[in-house]
């Protein structure tokens, strides 16, 4: 059963050191919205699984963490970065979905006693996959640096309003798309959209939920009148909705190619080598993820 799970970002090849322990650089992409750009790699002992775009939003009455990082060390470094900017209480830690690079830093914030926010299906995904993901991550970065599973204490079924005093951040639960437990946010003060891994830029997407669902949820996100968005991987901010063009094209190509393969009687082993190959020059780590995506898409579409 575990063999069918997406191991987004686990494990990876060795790479250059990411950063020393301690605060790291962020960019303020909107007033009070600070984002760290993750490296375009899979998890390694060198990068501490600090590969996702993560950050924080500072309000008058507190701070919201928007994904706590990919390991305990990544989370500790994020917390140190926050404390360079503000001593306001950390009120919310949002975990956007199940993948390791977005959740294993949560333990660094337990001392703050925040509300841990997640999709209503996140806890079940953690129960199914958490121990396995933790074991793989521990093998890569070390058991003392990997981090622990922290269950959400606020489960979002549709929408939740997260109050920071002078600003509200709205969290929205999505139907299966990138994963089965995707959460996006909108900072109502700046209008910035934070879709997490519902939007990839430059780095190859990973399909771990529903291809058809992802295209549907992406269309809904594109209808949001946001000036900018913070993708889960890629630049810290992109114009919106123009910045969604690449991932929409890739997912559409993947769907169309797999549908055609099924219609032509091409079996899954052949399809995985051919579908969406027109996209190969457009994405980093394409060879690591596209065949997995084709297999997942084929299994979803073959009975439709």
């Amino acid at each position: 059963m575990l063999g069918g799970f997406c191991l987004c970002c686990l494990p990876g090849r060795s790479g250059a050191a990411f950063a020393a322990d301690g605060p790291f650089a962020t960019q303020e992409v909107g007033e009070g919205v600070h984002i760290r750009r993750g490296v375009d790699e899979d998890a390694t002992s060198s990068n501490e699984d600090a590969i996702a775009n993560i950050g924080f939003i500072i309000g008058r009455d507190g701070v919201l963490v928007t994904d706590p990082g990919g390991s305990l060390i990544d989370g500790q470094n994020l917390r140190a970065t926050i404390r360079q900017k503000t001593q306001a209480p950390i009120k919310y830690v949002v975990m956007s979905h199940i993948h390791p690079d977005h959740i294993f830093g949560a333990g660094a914030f337990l001392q703050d006693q925040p509300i841990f926010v997640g999709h209503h299906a996140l806890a079940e995904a953690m129960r199914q996959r958490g121990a396995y993901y933790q074991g793989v991550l521990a093998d890569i970065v070390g058991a003392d640096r990997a981090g622990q599973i922290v269950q959400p204490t606020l489960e979002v079924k549709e929408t939740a309003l997260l109050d920071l005093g002078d600003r509200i951040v709205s969290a929205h639960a999505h139907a299966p798309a990138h994963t089965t437990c995707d959460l996006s946010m909108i900072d109502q003060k700046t209008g910035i959209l934070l879709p997490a891994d519902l939007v990839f830029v430059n780095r190859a997407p990973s399909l771990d939920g529903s291809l058809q669902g992802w295209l549907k949820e992406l269309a809904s996100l594109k209808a949001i009148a946001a000036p900018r968005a913070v993708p889960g991987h890629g630049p810290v901010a992109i114009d919106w909705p123009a910045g969604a063009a690449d991932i929409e094209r890739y997912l559409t190509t993947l769907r169309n190619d797999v549908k055609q393969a099924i219609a032509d009687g091409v079996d899954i082993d052949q399809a995985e080598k051919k579908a969406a190959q027109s996209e190969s020059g457009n994405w980093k780590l394409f060879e690591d993820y596209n065949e997995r995506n084709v297999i997942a898409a084929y299994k979803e579409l073959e009975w439709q």
Side-chain angles (χ1 to χ4, degrees):
M1 185 175 181
L2 288 171
F5 288 155
C6 173
L7 300 184
C8 179
C9 317
L10 291 178
R13 57 181 68 87
S14 61
F18 179 70
D21 292 350
F24 47 60
T26 61
Q27 293 185 44
E28 190 169 6
V29 301
E31 182 186 350
V33 182
H34 301 263
I35 304 296
R36 188 282 309 279
R37 192 197 194 289
V39 292
D40 293 322
E41 302 172 357
D42 280 339
T44 69
S45 59
S46 302
N47 64 36
E48 305 277 8
D49 204 18
I51 62 178
N53 292 347
I54 62 173
F56 53 96
I57 300 173
I58 301 174
R60 184 193 65 210
D61 297 341
V63 177
L64 179 148
V65 174
T66 171
D67 277 336
S71 64
L72 176 62
I73 300 304
D74 197 23
Q76 289 173 341
N77 293 344
L78 174 58
R79 188 176 186 278
T81 304
I82 294 170
R83 286 295 170 243
Q84 277 193 335
K85 301 288 186 182
T86 179
Q87 294 301 311
I90 297 171
K91 292 186 65 175
Y92 303 99
V93 173
V94 177
M95 298 177 287
S96 65
H97 61 287
I98 183 58
H99 289 156
D101 51 321
H102 296 264
I103 62 171
F104 275 102
F109 297 93
L110 287 168
Q111 62 191 295
D112 300 294
Q113 298 183 315
I115 296 171
F116 290 95
V117 183
H119 189 283
H120 62 87
L122 177 61
E124 179 58 28
M126 286 179 167
R127 283 189 286 270
Q128 290 182 3
R129 309 185 185 197
Y132 178 69
Y133 280 162
Q134 185 181 37
V136 176
L137 184 60
D139 287 343
I140 296 170
V141 304
D144 59 332
R145 301 173 76 82
Q148 66 190 89
I149 286 290
V150 177
Q151 293 279 359
T153 54
L154 172 60
E155 297 185 343
V156 182
K157 296 187 181 300
E158 294 182 358
T159 299
L161 301 180
L162 310 178
D163 188 356
L164 295 177
D166 60 340
R167 69 199 311 162
I168 299 291
V169 180
S170 54
H172 307 271
H174 293 269
H178 167 57
T179 70
T180 59
C181 52
D182 296 307
L183 204 66
S184 67
M185 293 186 293
I186 300 172
D187 172 42
Q188 296 185 6
K189 185 171 186 177
T190 63
I192 289 174
L193 171 67
L194 298 104
D197 278 11
L198 289 167
V199 178
F200 284 66
V201 179
N202 299 331
R203 179 196 169 107
S206 60
L207 175 60
D208 189 26
S210 165
L211 175 56
Q212 299 279 56
W214 198 343
L215 282 163
K216 182 178 179 181
E217 295 302 315
L218 186 60
S220 296
L221 288 172
K222 286 178 61 184
I224 295 172
R228 306 179 84 193
V230 177
H233 296 272
V236 294
I238 54 176
D239 292 337
W240 193 255
D246 287 348
I247 188 168
E248 183 176 39
R249 186 193 64 246
Y250 171 78
L251 295 175
T252 300
T253 300
L254 177 65
R255 180 194 62 191
N256 293 346
D257 285 4
V258 170
K259 279 188 171 183
Q260 189 62 54
I262 293 169
D264 292 344
V266 176
D267 66 31
I268 194 169
D269 293 332
Q270 294 175 302
E272 69 176 314
K273 304 296 183 184
K274 297 178 180 179
Q277 285 299 315
S278 62
E279 288 286 317
S280 63
N282 298 326
W283 303 93
K284 297 176 181 178
L285 303 180
F286 180 85
E287 298 301 329
D288 296 323
Y289 286 91
N290 186 64
E291 289 188 9
R292 300 181 195 178
N293 294 343
V294 173
I295 291 170
Y298 195 106
K299 291 178 179 179
E300 176 182 349
L301 297 172
E302 65 179 328
W303 300 114
Q304 295 184 1

